[in-house]
């Protein structure tokens, strides 16, 4: 059975990893999708479903961290900011 | 006298440097006033093709292509490294592993459209699939069937293949569309002849985004026993697609429109009732003999994962994209008048919004919108400034067709990007309309179409 603190810790790790993406769109999408995903599965009571959702979440965390390493390794194109990141 | 001279030299020596300093200050403030650099950190501005943009533009062109989803990228990476065997090698482990990966992807694609995995053929994209179906079916049945029906708003590859068939001696009927972009079903029914070999209607149009009434068209084709082909490149993963409900015999799919890799696509070829087609690529008989050639395993795997993701996220994405589309349309309509949506607003895929702004010159609008990556009605079809054939088929006037802009909203678009796009578009259109004498006349109430222009 998955404890509440484990779920919160998973959510926090996903959000923390997602914040590091260099690409604006993917960063925002990761944050939004994580929060919505946890919100949608927040009312699950069936223990097998909870374990399944938690396992999926853990798998997504692995994917996010793996892909992040590659995205950070290739800092391309260099030194240009997205319009939304520029301060007026 | 001497004191006067002393005082004057003293005054000169004291004021000169001050005057010089103030001139420099004056210059710097005036240049600061004329400089219109709104963003800090402009040293990283991008200068390309004579245009200077302060940062990477907002990507709102999801109909031309989509960025690669990180989860698809992850699957493709793993596959590129490890599945390097030829999937058609039957004799060793590397071939078996690659074949397994391809079969898994085939099941994922088939589940998205409600087909059996044996009916999916992988090829290089929707263009190749369209070419294979249109030319292949007609060439196979060339003795008995000499007629093809298609619409005027199809993708260029379908229209070009039909033109190629016309040069070979087949007859093609290009059905006109109504002003909302939908096909008239009565005209379709009348156009079908005993020797019609294929009906090709695209499910979601790439320029205007209208969704055709696929079930009704499928029913008509089933009545008359004519194979029905649809170009569903913009439709899969976005609207619910079911080959049984739509009664299609052939379907073209593309990978890079659903956050997958470029260079891969698939073709659905129905097995019950069996439809035959002549292959475009001859060779070793791979892919049921319909498309020979070694499959690019990592592209196929990426396409499969993209299809599976699209199936899981379809509802969530649809809600988000519909919300953003309403925000965009309402935001633009609040501040501007004379905004026309090209194509039906009800029967439409939410992620495609094609707007025409009246009394604005199209090229200058696009040149001013350099910080938003959008596509226009005319530029994407030809190098000349001829307005798009799709808009012309809808009956849109030439001047409105020139100012059409296609906003493409996708999974990764954010609300802030939409707000910024609205702000930039409204600013640009207002700026152009302020300069436009035609708009002044319209505001005074003069009807432009009934003016007698005098000759100078």
């Amino acid at each position: 059975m998955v404890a509440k603190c484990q779920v919160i810790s998973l959510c926090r790790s996903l959000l923390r990893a997602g914040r590091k993406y260099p690409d604006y769109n993917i960063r925002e999408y990761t944050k939004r999708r994580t929060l919505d995903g946890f919100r949608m599965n927040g009312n699950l009571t069936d223990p097998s479903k909870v374990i399944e959702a938690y396992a999926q979440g853990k798998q997504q965390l692995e994917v996010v961290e793996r892909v992040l390493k590659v995205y950070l390794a290739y800092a391309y194109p260099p030194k240009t900011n997205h319009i939304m990141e520029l301060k007026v | 006298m001497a004191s006067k001279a002393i005082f004057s030299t003293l005054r000169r020596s004291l004021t000169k440097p001050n005057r010089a300093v103030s001139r420099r200050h004056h210059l710097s403030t005036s240049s600061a006033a004329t400089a219109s650099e709104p963003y800090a950190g402009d040293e990283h501005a991008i200068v390309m093709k004579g245009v200077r943009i302060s940062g990477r533009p907002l990507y709102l062109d999801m109909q031309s292509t989509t960025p690669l989803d990180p989860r698809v990228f992850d699957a493709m990476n793993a596959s590129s490294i490890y599945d390097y065997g030829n999937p058609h090698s039957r004799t060793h482990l590397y071939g078996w592993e690659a074949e397994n990966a391809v079969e898994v992807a085939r099941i994922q694609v088939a589940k998205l459209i409600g087909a059996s995995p044996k009916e999916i053929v992988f090829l290089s994209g929707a263009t190749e699939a369209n070419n294979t179906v249109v030319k292949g079916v007609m060439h196979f049945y060339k003795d008995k069937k000499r007629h093809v029906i298609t619409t005027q708003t199809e993708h260029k590859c379908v229209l070009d293949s039909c033109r190629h068939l016309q040069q070979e001696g087949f007859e093609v009927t290009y059905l006109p569309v109504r002003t909302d972009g939908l096909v008239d079903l009565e005209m379709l029914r009348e156009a079908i002849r005993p020797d019609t070999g294929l009906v090709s209607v695209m499910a979601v149009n790439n320029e205007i985004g209208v969704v055709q009434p696929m079930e009704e068209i499928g029913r008509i084709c089933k009545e008359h026993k004519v194979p029905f082909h649809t170009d569903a490149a913009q439709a899969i993963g976005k609207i619910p697609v079911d080959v049984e409900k739509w009664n299609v015999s052939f379907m073209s799919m593309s990978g890079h429109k659903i956050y997958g890799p470029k260079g891969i696509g698939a073709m659905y070829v129905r097995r019950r009732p069996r439809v035959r087609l002549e292959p475009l690529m001859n060779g070793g008989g791979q892919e049921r003999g319909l498309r020979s050639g070694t499959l690019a395993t990592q592209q196929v795997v990426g396409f499969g994962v993209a299809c599976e993701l699209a199936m899981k996220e379809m509802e969530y994405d649809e809600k988000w994209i519909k919300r953003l589309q309403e925000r965009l349309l309402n935001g633009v309509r609040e501040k501007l008048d004379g905004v026309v949506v090209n194509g039906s607003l009800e029967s439409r895929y939410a992620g495609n919004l094609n707007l025409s702004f009246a009394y604005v010159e199209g090229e200058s609008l696009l040149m001013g919108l350099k910080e938003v990556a959008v596509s226009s009605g005319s530029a994407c079809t030809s190098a000349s400034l001829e307005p798009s054939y799709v808009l012309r088929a809808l009956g849109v006037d030439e001047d409105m067709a020139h100012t059409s802009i296609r906003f493409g909203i996708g999974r990764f678009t954010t609300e802030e990007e939409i707000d910024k796009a609205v702000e930039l578009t409204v600013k640009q259109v207002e700026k152009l309309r302020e300069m436009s004498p035609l708009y002044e006349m319209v505001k005074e109430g003069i009807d432009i179409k009934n003016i007698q222009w005098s000759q100078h």
Side-chain angles (χ1 to χ4, degrees):
Chain A
M1 189 56 202
V2 179
K4 183 172 169 182
C5 57
Q6 280 180 300
V7 172
I8 294 181
S9 144
L10 177 65
C11 187
R12 215 174 274 158
S13 323
L14 269 166
L15 289 174
R16 216 176 285 149
R19 234 176 285 161
K20 298 193 200 133
Y21 273 97
D23 184 62
Y24 167 79
N25 289 97
I26 297 187
R27 205 165 49 221
E28 294 292 314
Y29 175 72
T30 315
K31 182 171 92 173
R32 173 171 55 94
R33 183 72 182 90
T34 314
L35 290 172
D36 282 338
F38 276 86
R39 227 171 268 154
M40 283 195 293
N41 289 338
N43 298 330
L44 287 178
T45 47
D46 187 10
S48 62
K49 283 216 166 56
V50 170
I51 294 177
E52 191 187 319
Y54 183 73
Q56 270 180 8
K58 265 225 132 21
Q59 198 198 28
Q60 295 299 314
L61 177 62
E62 277 176 34
V63 169
V64 167
E65 291 190 335
R66 235 188 345 233
V67 171
L68 182 62
K69 286 196 196 129
V70 182
Y71 277 41
L72 288 175
Y74 294 105
Y76 168 79
K79 282 196 204 156
T80 48
N81 281 320
H82 198 263
I83 298 268
M84 302 300 301
E85 294 169 355
L86 293 174
K87 311 234 180 337
V88 177
Chain B
M1 250 335 253
S3 61
K4 224 194 211 169
I6 294 170
F7 278 129
S8 65
T9 45
L10 203 59
R11 208 188 318 127
R12 237 177 289 137
S13 63
L14 279 175
T15 53
K16 242 192 204 149
N18 280 345
R19 224 184 291 139
V21 167
S22 69
R23 209 184 304 138
R24 240 181 285 134
H25 271 209
H26 177 66
L27 266 177
S28 63
T29 47
S30 68
S31 61
T34 52
S36 54
E37 307 289 343
Y39 297 117
D42 199 49
E43 54 273 8
H44 297 317
I46 308 168
V47 180
M48 245 179 136
K49 304 213 176 195
V51 179
R52 188 192 178 85
I53 19 178
S54 34
R56 295 179 71 70
L58 315 172
Y59 191 72
L60 286 178
D61 198 15
M62 296 290 178
Q63 272 71 43
S64 66
T65 186
T66 52
L68 199 60
D69 193 307
R71 297 164 277 193
V72 172
F73 173 68
D74 185 55
M76 278 176 68
N77 257 352
S79 181
S80 309
I81 299 172
Y82 296 111
D83 291 331
Y84 59 81
N86 188 326
H88 313 291
S89 302
R90 291 277 166 89
T91 53
H92 48 73
L93 178 73
Y94 299 100
W96 302 334
E97 281 188 337
E99 191 181 357
N100 273 348
V102 165
E103 291 310 309
V104 164
R106 217 185 284 271
I107 295 175
Q108 286 166 331
V109 175
K111 240 197 258 177
L112 180 63
I113 60 173
S116 144
K118 298 197 190 139
E119 298 170 317
I120 305 284
V121 173
F122 286 115
L123 3 85
S124 74
T127 304
E128 190 184 337
N130 283 334
N131 269 277
T132 310
V133 171
V134 172
K135 292 181 193 155
V137 170
M138 295 316 289
H139 285 163
F140 192 87
Y141 293 112
K142 63 174 177 285
D143 300 322
K144 301 232 184 72
K145 309 280 186 185
R146 306 291 300 178
H147 182 224
V148 180
I149 300 180
T150 182
T151 64
Q152 287 177 355
T153 52
E154 288 295 304
H155 195 261
K156 233 9 175 150
C157 54
V158 173
L159 292 179
D160 220 47
S161 309
C162 290
R163 189 155 51 98
H164 178 96
L165 287 178
Q166 265 181 311
Q167 281 171 349
E168 288 181 356
F170 291 87
E171 286 170 33
V172 182
T173 304
Y174 299 97
L175 288 178
V177 291
R178 303 200 296 248
T179 45
D180 60 356
L182 297 172
V183 162
D184 194 341
L185 297 167
E186 286 311 314
M187 291 193 80
L188 171 64
R189 214 185 280 269
E190 283 164 27
I192 295 184
R193 304 191 322 214
D195 68 341
T196 301
L198 188 68
V199 168
S200 175
V201 180
M202 75 193 314
V204 174
N205 192 294
N206 56 327
E207 282 204 39
I208 48 183
V210 294
V211 180
Q212 302 286 354
M214 302 305 287
E215 289 182 25
E216 283 84 8
I217 302 179
R219 210 177 311 138
I220 296 177
C221 291
K222 191 168 183 174
E223 265 175 48
H224 299 262
K225 296 206 179 23
V226 178
F228 179 27
H229 163 247
T230 175
D231 177 5
Q234 298 280 349
I236 51 164
K238 303 189 172 145
I239 59 171
V241 174
D242 190 341
V243 290
E244 295 301 323
K245 252 195 258 171
W246 287 6
N247 193 42
V248 281
S249 310
F250 304 98
M251 185 186 281
S252 313
M253 294 170 262
S254 173
H256 68 108
K257 303 269 167 46
I258 50 167
Y259 312 95
K262 294 183 184 47
I264 187 75
M267 185 168 63
Y268 161 77
V269 181
R270 186 178 273 272
R271 281 173 89 228
R272 283 203 194 92
R274 194 186 203 87
V275 270
R276 309 290 300 274
L277 88 97
E278 206 183 74
L280 212 61
M281 287 284 180
N282 300 103
Q286 285 87 11
E287 298 290 302
R288 285 167 59 192
L290 297 172
R291 208 284 184 179
S292 305
T294 305
L295 284 175
T297 314
Q298 84 270 12
Q299 303 286 87
V300 171
V301 166
F303 184 30
V305 171
C307 284
E308 186 177 356
L309 270 175
M311 196 166 73
K312 279 198 218 144
E313 310 260 323
M314 204 189 307
E315 208 184 297
Y316 176 74
D317 284 342
E318 195 186 320
K319 253 193 287 178
W320 179 248
I321 291 174
K322 185 107 191 85
R323 184 166 144 193
L324 289 184
Q325 186 213 33
E326 278 168 10
R327 200 182 174 110
L328 177 59
L329 194 53
N330 294 341
V332 170
R333 279 220 166 118
E334 261 172 28
K335 310 227 175 85
L336 295 174
D337 57 336
V339 173
V340 176
V341 176
N342 294 319
S344 147
L345 202 48
E346 294 83 31
S347 175
R348 164 183 278 270
Y349 165 57
N352 185 331
L353 192 60
N354 194 314
L355 298 176
S356 276
F357 301 95
Y359 321 117
V360 166
E361 212 270 298
E363 217 188 333
S364 37
L365 178 60
L366 267 190
M367 286 205 295
L369 277 183
K370 272 296 164 258
E371 293 178 340
V372 185
V374 283
S375 174
S376 93
S378 49
C380 65
T381 47
S382 58
S384 69
L385 271 184
E386 197 186 310
S388 131
Y389 61 93
V390 173
L391 293 175
R392 215 177 330 134
L394 288 182
V396 175
D397 290 329
E398 283 230 0
D399 51 345
M400 292 295 270
H402 271 300
T403 69
S404 71
I405 295 204
R406 176 184 76 187
F407 292 97
I409 306 171
R411 190 187 285 171
F412 296 121
T413 322
T414 62
E415 276 179 348
E416 290 88 8
E417 281 188 323
I418 294 287
D419 292 337
K420 185 101 192 158
V422 166
E423 182 195 314
L424 289 170
T425 314
V426 164
K427 195 167 74 169
Q428 185 67 11
V429 170
E430 280 178 348
K431 192 165 89 171
L432 287 171
R433 279 185 177 167
E434 219 176 313
M435 296 194 288
S436 154
L438 272 181
Y439 190 59
E440 271 178 45
M441 293 203 294
V442 166
K443 278 210 291 201
E444 285 169 17
I446 305 174
D447 182 15
I448 291 191
K449 297 218 187 333
N450 296 337
I451 296 179
Q452 298 280 12
W453 298 104
S454 63
Q455 301 251 334
H456 285 281

